[in-house]
Amino acid sequence: MLILTSMLTITQALVDQIVAHTRKDHPDEACGVVAGPAGSDRPERFIPMLNAAMSPTFYEFDSGDLLKLYREMDDRDEEPVVIYHSHTATEAYPSRTDISYANEPGAHYVLVSTADTDGAGEFQFRSFRIVEGEVTEEEVEIVEAY
């Protein structure tokens, strides 16, 4: 049975890397993974991916890159702890497409909005659990180190 925590604990350094990647790829959506030791729920290894769709409204992992990544994580006894992507014109909340593509029930789905949609600044950083089509927002605790 999968037991999910309702909070993402992540280092400031990883948050900075994710945000930098989303800004660099703007106006296209950025996407990537943060892998961690299998079973740990601890994001450690930042892996920016190419948005094969090269679109400002949609992201897609390149199937070859994704296969290579999963083989590499398997060899290193890792799993995808965080799967992230950006929204360039809307708030950081999973779209219907995002929900339909969410096939890692143990992962934290991080969305970064590079659009100032709420007047709160130049980006939003939010985390969600997506299990069987159900979206639950979770708290994000940013720490200096684990």
Side-chain angles (χ1 to χ4, degrees):
M1 185 175 135
L2 190 63
I3 298 173
L4 302 177
T5 60
S6 59
M7 181 167 68
L8 168 62
T9 302
I10 188 168
T11 63
Q12 183 67 59
L14 285 168
V15 170
D16 292 347
Q17 287 178 294
I18 291 169
V19 170
H21 181 208
T22 64
R23 286 185 174 143
K24 181 177 77 65
D25 283 12
H26 187 87
D28 287 341
E29 288 193 4
C31 56
V33 172
V34 183
S40 72
D41 197 41
R42 192 175 67 233
E44 291 184 350
R45 190 165 64 94
F46 174 70
I47 308 157
M49 302 284 284
L50 173 71
N51 177 355
M54 295 186 162
S55 165
T57 57
F58 179 73
Y59 84 98
E60 182 176 35
F61 290 118
D62 176 83
S63 58
D65 289 350
L66 199 57
L67 181 61
K68 183 177 162 217
L69 171 65
Y70 271 81
R71 285 183 174 150
E72 184 181 290
M73 286 190 299
D74 197 43
D75 289 346
R76 296 171 64 127
D77 199 24
E78 293 175 327
E79 63 190 9
V81 178
V82 169
I83 298 171
Y84 73 88
H85 78 280
S86 60
H87 283 181
T88 60
T90 58
E91 71 170 321
Y93 191 85
S95 68
R96 283 192 306 265
T97 304
D98 297 339
I99 294 165
S100 71
Y101 278 9
N103 61 2
E104 286 288 347
H108 301 270
Y109 285 88
V110 166
L111 273 106
V112 176
S113 174
T114 53
D116 183 4
T117 57
D118 60 2
E122 53 194 88
F123 72 93
Q124 297 174 334
F125 187 100
R126 296 167 73 185
S127 185
F128 303 87
R129 293 293 192 159
I130 305 174
V131 180
E132 295 176 7
E134 289 291 313
V135 176
T136 307
E137 186 163 7
E138 61 184 357
E139 213 178 305
V140 176
E141 180 185 20
I142 300 172
V143 297
E144 285 308 309
Y146 302 122

